[in-house]
Amino acid sequence: MPKSQERCQEIREETRNLIVKKSVLYFARNGFAGTRISDLSKHIGIAQGTIYIYFKSKEELYDEIFAISDKIAGNDKLTMLAKLPVPADQKIKKMSDYLIRSLKEDEMFVAGIALYTQRLLEGEADQSFYKTTEKIIKQGQKEGTVVAGNARKLSEFYWGIVYLYAVKSLYTADAAMISSADLARVLLEDRK
Amino acid sequence: MPKSQERCQEIREETRNLIVKKSVLYFARNGFAGTRISDLSKHIGIAQGTIYIYFKSKEELYDEIFAISDKIAGNDKLTMLAKLPVPADQKIKKMSDYLIRSLKEDEMFVAGIALYTQRLLEGEADQSFYKTTEKIIKQGQKEGTVVAGNARKLSEFYWGIVYLYAVKSLYTADAAMISSADLARVLLEDRK
Amino acid sequence: MPKSQERCQEIREETRNLIVKKSVLYFARNGFAGTRISDLSKHIGIAQGTIYIYFKSKEELYDEIFAISDKIAGNDKLTMLAKLPVPADQKIKKMSDYLIRSLKEDEMFVAGIALYTQRLLEGEADQSFYKTTEKIIKQGQKEGTVVAGNARKLSEFYWGIVYLYAVKSLYTADAAMISSADLARVLLEDRK
Amino acid sequence: MPKSQERCQEIREETRNLIVKKSVLYFARNGFAGTRISDLSKHIGIAQGTIYIYFKSKEELYDEIFAISDKIAGNDKLTMLAKLPVPADQKIKKMSDYLIRSLKEDEMFVAGIALYTQRLLEGEADQSFYKTTEKIIKQGQKEGTVVAGNARKLSEFYWGIVYLYAVKSLYTADAAMISSADLARVLLEDRK
DNA sequence: CATGAATGAGTATTCATTCAT
DNA sequence: TATGAATGAATACTCATTCAT
């Protein structure tokens, strides 16, 4: 009965995805230590034991969530964007557009940013976001469109602001958000 | 020979302060759930039981720390500054000076800001910081020294950045900090 | 395959009853402060944690046991007996029969009496036992079968003796018990 | 300075007696496990540490109190009474008089009886009270003044009733007490 | 001697994990 | 697979005891 086999696999996949998806937000809000499996499972809508069918331990679930948090937060897109043969200010505008829109609309994204940055601050995540942004900044500084200053510090500041609004969105249903233009301006030279 | 009443009072005061002082940083770094009383007491350098002489429970200690986190973070000073009969841009510069210096030098301040803002985000602290800053911003907008825009959003943004660097300082010994001038510029009109 | 709703309910009921049943005797013998949850759980034959699935705290378990101790001690039966349309001396004989037999044969009854009376003495239980017996005594005094004297004091004395033998039974495997007739004679007029 | 030496000794004696006296009642009401040294010392009106100047441990204090509880409860007087060359019924009346009066007036006596009997029930005290009373009962049965029946059981019943009213007095300021005559009648043949 | 703050072993309670159904 | 009752190691909290003053 190959069909039922496949269906089974499908169900597995679905349940696993459900767990991951619902856990991202929960962990982002409450932290690792602040998350009880009993509460989490209620929040997901499954039994406690079910989590342990898919993940060996709370830690493994948390780790998995981290492992994908940079994907959730759009690291791939950013990397691709950086490689495009367009001026840096365009890249920054696009990136800011994408980030602000995602912060507004996608709670998975919000949670991804929060988790990723949290771990970054604790020194446990790699710094690809920062580094990619740094490259764009340097390109922009050469092109004369990005403000002067240490590229690394500017990159950290930019992402700090994104983190800031992610954390806000985590707790407030509709956080007062800055505009995409405002965010971009953090890096871009004023054109007055 | 019994200990004198005053000496006892003194000792109690000292120990209590020691616990609060050392706990602020510990809780700010690890959160409520992430803090074990056994670890905390080791960090303070006292026995576990001693904490319970001064606080009924871990929760009560945490609450007390929150209750005073706005003082630690300098709410009083800010309120006083707001009332001074000087131009808003001066107030903002002074405030930014004070904040950046404190973030660099004073661990307790860093922890206070982190805890206070964390609770603010969770909607459990009053918003006096925001409100006081809002007033200064409005004053500055009248005086033509502060950038246009919704005063509340600007205030939140300004404090968001302070929070950002507080969180960074919490985890990194010497976080790359923006300058006091950079922080002030978030609110002030460019004088080019 | 999830467990059926009913089966789960059943299991919960069973375990809860087991805990209550075994705790009654343990608490009656050792008192609240003298009972360790670790010992109690061993005595019940379950893990410490299991107790906390059914009761919020040691205190709550103790309170529940007290709350039902009047049932265990047969308050219902006594009330019913009092209402029967038979002479008071018959009621007293029946009651004494029941009490002495239960004290001999039923550990739970022994514990129930001990706990209930203990709380009565501490002024925390209602006095329904006393009051019901008081009514029977007054009826008997009218009928000329019960000794003269303050009905309340006689009632207290009667139940005091029951308590006395309950406490004895609590500590001694086979306590030398008075006979049902001896107990009844505490209230009944001598028929010599 | 021999004088101050003596005075010191005196003070020691006084404090020690104070502790014992106040502890008897406290332990009788709350039991060993139910008594906290912190509470007890407050009740006595001294510091916790002071208790440990006079007693090595809580257990030692408790043991000492037990060791004297039979004296407090009047074992000496009973033994002397038993040896007097008078009829048993007189002895029983005197004894009952003494017991009821003491239960009414002397809270140390009340506590002594409660503690002694409690330990008796737990099988940890010697049974001199019972035995002495047994002898008197046997004497009375020979003299025809005491009711028939197993002397030991009668003795236990008699002391049970004394215990009963002791426990009552422990918790109620003025417990409704049976009369000395009523108590004596438990053993004595009716003279109608 | 007397004090009461401090200690840490002991006890209560929680919660990640297991397992029979 | 999915369930949730049960487990027991980890954690919070208490209290007899010590000791510097």
Side-chain angles (χ1 to χ4, degrees):
Chain A
M1 280 189 289
K3 198 175 173 184
S4 99
Q5 281 274 337
E6 281 159 33
R7 180 70 193 128
C8 243
Q9 195 57 32
E10 240 172 75
I11 288 172
R12 271 195 68 86
E13 205 77 5
E14 272 170 34
T15 309
R16 193 188 162 92
N17 283 341
L18 177 70
I19 292 171
V20 169
K21 193 183 151 147
K22 293 263 191 174
S23 298
V24 170
L25 206 68
Y26 207 90
F27 275 122
R29 279 215 183 97
N30 302 291
F32 179 75
T35 297
R36 291 186 206 101
I37 290 293
S38 61
D39 291 348
L40 177 60
S41 64
K42 254 176 237 152
H43 174 243
I44 300 175
I46 57 173
Q48 288 182 235
T50 308
I51 291 175
Y52 289 87
I53 296 172
Y54 296 92
F55 301 91
K56 271 189 192 158
S57 68
K58 182 181 167 184
E59 188 117 27
E60 201 182 280
L61 171 58
Y62 193 59
D63 287 347
E64 166 125 357
I65 282 167
F66 259 124
I68 60 169
S69 65
D70 58 339
K71 274 178 206 163
I72 295 171
N75 206 343
D76 304 347
K77 289 184 185 171
L78 180 59
T79 312
M80 261 161 45
L81 185 70
K83 289 180 180 160
L84 289 181
V86 297
D89 59 344
Q90 292 229 0
K91 290 181 185 172
I92 288 168
K93 278 174 191 165
K94 281 222 166 209
M95 177 164 71
S96 303
D97 262 8
Y98 171 70
L99 292 174
I100 294 296
R101 194 163 8 94
S102 301
L103 283 175
K104 277 183 187 157
E105 293 166 7
D106 182 358
E107 56 176 26
M108 282 290 277
F109 179 85
V110 164
I113 288 284
L115 282 168
Y116 182 85
T117 311
Q118 191 59 29
R119 202 163 232 194
L120 205 57
L121 285 166
E122 289 167 10
E124 286 171 41
D126 77 3
Q127 312 194 327
S128 40
F129 272 96
Y130 284 6
K131 284 175 185 159
T132 312
T133 312
E134 224 178 309
K135 280 180 198 160
I136 299 177
I137 288 171
K138 279 177 181 162
Q139 179 196 346
Q141 286 174 332
K142 277 183 198 152
E143 294 168 2
T145 51
V146 165
V147 295
N150 179 295
R152 174 52 176 267
K153 276 177 69 178
L154 284 170
S155 167
E156 284 183 7
F157 186 56
Y158 182 86
W159 280 103
I161 289 167
V162 174
Y163 171 56
L164 189 63
Y165 285 98
V167 174
K168 265 192 193 171
S169 306
L170 222 42
Y171 296 108
T172 322
D174 35 20
M177 205 69 72
I178 55 169
S179 68
S180 157
D182 285 340
L183 178 59
R185 205 151 35 228
V186 164
L187 296 181
L188 298 182
E189 200 69 77
D190 242 338
R191 301 274 185 87
K192 286 182 192 173
Chain B
M1 197 169 28
K3 280 171 210 141
S4 87
Q5 210 67 31
E6 309 90 56
R7 180 67 191 126
C8 266
Q9 194 58 31
E10 236 175 80
I11 289 172
R12 285 188 66 87
E13 203 86 359
E14 273 169 32
T15 308
R16 194 190 161 91
N17 284 341
L18 177 70
I19 292 171
V20 169
K21 197 185 148 142
K22 293 262 190 172
S23 297
V24 170
L25 204 67
Y26 207 89
F27 274 123
R29 279 216 180 94
N30 302 291
F32 178 75
T35 296
R36 286 186 213 97
I37 288 292
S38 60
D39 292 348
L40 178 60
S41 64
K42 253 175 237 154
H43 174 244
I44 300 176
I46 57 173
Q48 291 197 44
T50 307
I51 291 175
Y52 290 91
I53 296 173
Y54 297 91
F55 301 92
K56 272 189 192 156
S57 65
K58 183 180 164 184
E59 187 121 26
E60 201 183 279
L61 171 58
Y62 193 58
D63 286 348
E64 165 123 1
I65 282 169
F66 261 127
I68 60 169
S69 63
D70 58 340
K71 274 177 205 162
I72 297 171
N75 206 342
D76 305 345
K77 287 183 186 170
L78 179 58
T79 311
M80 260 161 45
L81 184 69
K83 290 181 181 159
L84 288 182
V86 298
D89 60 343
Q90 291 227 2
K91 289 180 187 174
I92 288 169
K93 278 174 190 162
K94 280 222 163 205
M95 178 164 71
S96 304
D97 261 10
Y98 170 69
L99 292 173
I100 294 296
R101 191 161 13 90
S102 301
L103 283 175
K104 276 183 188 156
E105 294 167 7
D106 184 356
E107 277 190 327
M108 283 285 279
F109 179 85
V110 164
I113 288 283
L115 283 168
Y116 182 85
T117 312
Q118 190 60 29
R119 200 161 234 195
L120 206 56
L121 287 166
E122 290 168 8
E124 286 171 40
D126 77 4
Q127 311 194 327
S128 39
F129 272 96
Y130 283 8
K131 284 177 185 159
T132 312
T133 312
E134 224 178 309
K135 280 180 200 161
I136 299 177
I137 289 172
K138 281 177 181 163
Q139 180 196 347
Q141 288 176 330
K142 278 183 199 154
E143 294 168 2
T145 51
V146 166
V147 295
N150 178 294
R152 175 51 176 268
K153 276 178 68 178
L154 284 169
S155 167
E156 285 182 9
F157 186 56
Y158 181 85
W159 280 104
I161 289 168
V162 174
Y163 172 56
L164 189 64
Y165 284 99
V167 174
K168 265 192 192 170
S169 305
L170 223 42
Y171 296 108
T172 322
D174 35 21
M177 205 68 71
I178 55 169
S179 69
S180 156
D182 285 342
L183 178 59
R185 205 153 33 230
V186 165
L187 296 180
L188 298 183
E189 203 66 80
D190 243 339
R191 302 275 186 87
K192 286 182 192 173
Chain C
M1 196 171 29
K3 280 171 210 139
S4 87
Q5 210 67 31
E6 308 90 55
R7 180 69 191 124
C8 265
Q9 195 57 32
E10 235 174 82
I11 290 171
R12 284 187 66 86
E13 203 86 357
E14 273 169 32
T15 308
R16 195 188 161 91
N17 284 342
L18 176 70
I19 293 171
V20 168
K21 196 184 149 142
K22 291 262 190 172
S23 297
V24 170
L25 204 66
Y26 207 89
F27 275 123
R29 277 215 182 96
N30 302 290
F32 179 75
T35 296
R36 286 185 213 97
I37 289 291
S38 60
D39 292 348
L40 177 60
S41 64
K42 253 173 239 156
H43 173 244
I44 300 176
I46 56 174
Q48 292 197 44
T50 306
I51 290 175
Y52 290 89
I53 297 173
Y54 296 92
F55 301 91
K56 273 189 190 156
S57 65
K58 182 180 164 184
E59 187 122 26
E60 202 183 278
L61 171 57
Y62 193 57
D63 287 348
E64 165 124 359
I65 281 169
F66 260 127
I68 59 168
S69 62
D70 58 340
K71 274 177 205 162
I72 297 171
N75 206 341
D76 305 344
K77 287 184 186 171
L78 180 57
T79 311
M80 260 163 44
L81 184 69
K83 289 181 181 159
L84 289 181
V86 298
D89 59 344
Q90 290 227 3
K91 290 181 185 174
I92 289 168
K93 278 175 191 163
K94 280 223 163 204
M95 177 165 72
S96 304
D97 261 10
Y98 171 68
L99 293 174
I100 294 296
R101 190 159 15 90
S102 301
L103 284 175
K104 276 183 188 156
E105 293 167 6
D106 184 356
E107 277 191 326
M108 284 285 279
F109 179 85
V110 164
I113 288 283
L115 283 168
Y116 182 85
T117 311
Q118 190 60 29
R119 199 160 236 195
L120 206 56
L121 287 166
E122 289 168 7
E124 286 171 39
D126 76 4
Q127 311 195 328
S128 39
F129 271 96
Y130 283 8
K131 284 176 186 160
T132 312
T133 312
E134 225 179 308
K135 280 181 200 160
I136 300 178
I137 289 172
K138 280 177 182 164
Q139 179 196 348
Q141 288 175 332
K142 276 184 199 152
E143 293 168 3
T145 50
V146 165
V147 295
N150 178 295
R152 175 51 176 268
K153 278 178 67 177
L154 284 170
S155 167
E156 286 183 7
F157 186 56
Y158 182 85
W159 279 103
I161 290 168
V162 174
Y163 171 56
L164 189 64
Y165 284 98
V167 173
K168 266 192 192 170
S169 304
L170 223 41
Y171 296 108
T172 322
D174 35 20
M177 205 67 71
I178 55 169
S179 68
S180 157
D182 285 340
L183 178 60
R185 207 155 29 232
V186 164
L187 295 181
L188 297 182
E189 202 68 78
D190 243 340
R191 301 276 185 86
K192 287 181 190 175
Chain D
M1 280 190 290
K3 200 173 171 184
S4 99
Q5 281 276 336
E6 281 160 33
R7 181 68 193 129
C8 246
Q9 194 57 32
E10 242 172 74
I11 288 171
R12 273 192 68 86
E13 205 77 5
E14 272 170 33
T15 309
R16 193 186 162 90
N17 283 340
L18 178 70
I19 292 172
V20 169
K21 194 184 150 145
K22 292 263 192 174
S23 298
V24 170
L25 205 67
Y26 207 90
F27 275 123
R29 278 214 183 96
N30 303 290
F32 179 74
T35 296
R36 290 186 204 101
I37 290 292
S38 61
D39 291 348
L40 177 61
S41 65
K42 255 175 235 151
H43 174 243
I44 300 175
I46 57 174
Q48 287 182 236
T50 308
I51 290 175
Y52 288 87
I53 297 172
Y54 296 93
F55 301 92
K56 272 188 192 160
S57 67
K58 183 181 169 185
E59 187 117 28
E60 201 183 280
L61 171 57
Y62 193 59
D63 287 348
E64 166 126 358
I65 281 168
F66 260 123
I68 60 170
S69 65
D70 57 341
K71 274 177 204 161
I72 295 171
N75 206 343
D76 305 346
K77 288 184 186 170
L78 180 58
T79 312
M80 261 162 45
L81 185 70
K83 289 180 181 160
L84 288 182
V86 297
D89 59 345
Q90 292 228 359
K91 290 180 185 173
I92 288 169
K93 279 174 191 163
K94 280 220 164 209
M95 177 164 72
S96 304
D97 261 8
Y98 170 70
L99 293 174
I100 294 296
R101 194 162 9 93
S102 302
L103 284 175
K104 276 183 188 157
E105 293 166 7
D106 182 358
E107 57 177 24
M108 283 289 278
F109 179 86
V110 164
I113 287 283
L115 282 167
Y116 183 85
T117 311
Q118 191 59 29
R119 203 163 229 193
L120 205 57
L121 286 166
E122 289 167 10
E124 285 170 40
D126 76 4
Q127 311 194 329
S128 39
F129 271 95
Y130 284 6
K131 284 176 184 158
T132 312
T133 312
E134 225 178 310
K135 281 181 197 158
I136 299 177
I137 288 171
K138 280 177 181 162
Q139 180 196 345
Q141 287 174 331
K142 277 184 197 152
E143 294 169 3
T145 51
V146 166
V147 295
N150 178 295
R152 175 50 176 268
K153 276 177 70 177
L154 284 170
S155 166
E156 284 183 7
F157 186 57
Y158 182 85
W159 281 103
I161 291 167
V162 174
Y163 171 56
L164 188 63
Y165 285 98
V167 173
K168 265 192 193 171
S169 305
L170 223 42
Y171 296 106
T172 322
D174 35 20
M177 205 67 74
I178 55 168
S179 68
S180 157
D182 284 341
L183 178 59
R185 202 149 38 226
V186 164
L187 296 180
L188 298 182
E189 200 68 77
D190 241 338
R191 299 278 186 84
K192 287 182 191 175

